[in-house]
Amino acid sequence: MSSKPKVQMPGAARVGIALLIVGGLVVGLGTYYDRGAVSLYGLGMVAGGFVLYLASSIRAKRRVR
């Protein structure tokens, strides 16, 4: 078994990852159906998910120290 302790993933990080995945799907569908507004909305979701995941993971690392 692994000797190092598991790091709990914060809920905000899970939501950020979910936004990244859903936003990527929205961008792909918007591009496939040639809907620029939908792709742009998906791009905003991806950017928001990335920022949320990044901020929450940095905050969790600082809390561990």
Side-chain angles (χ1 to χ4, degrees):
M1 297 291 163
S2 177
S3 61
K4 66 181 189 177
K6 280 189 172 181
V7 176
Q8 294 292 332
M9 182 181 286
R14 292 176 197 257
V15 172
I17 290 174
L19 276 175
L20 279 168
I21 293 170
V22 172
L25 289 172
V26 170
V27 167
L29 288 173
T31 303
Y32 181 74
Y33 289 115
D34 200 26
R35 302 281 186 211
V38 175
S39 294
L40 192 59
Y41 179 71
L43 186 64
M45 287 175 67
V46 169
F50 177 73
V51 168
L52 186 62
Y53 175 73
L54 187 69
S56 64
S57 63
I58 288 173
R59 187 174 175 202
K61 294 248 187 205
R62 287 185 180 172
R63 187 177 293 164
V64 169
R65 285 190 213 168

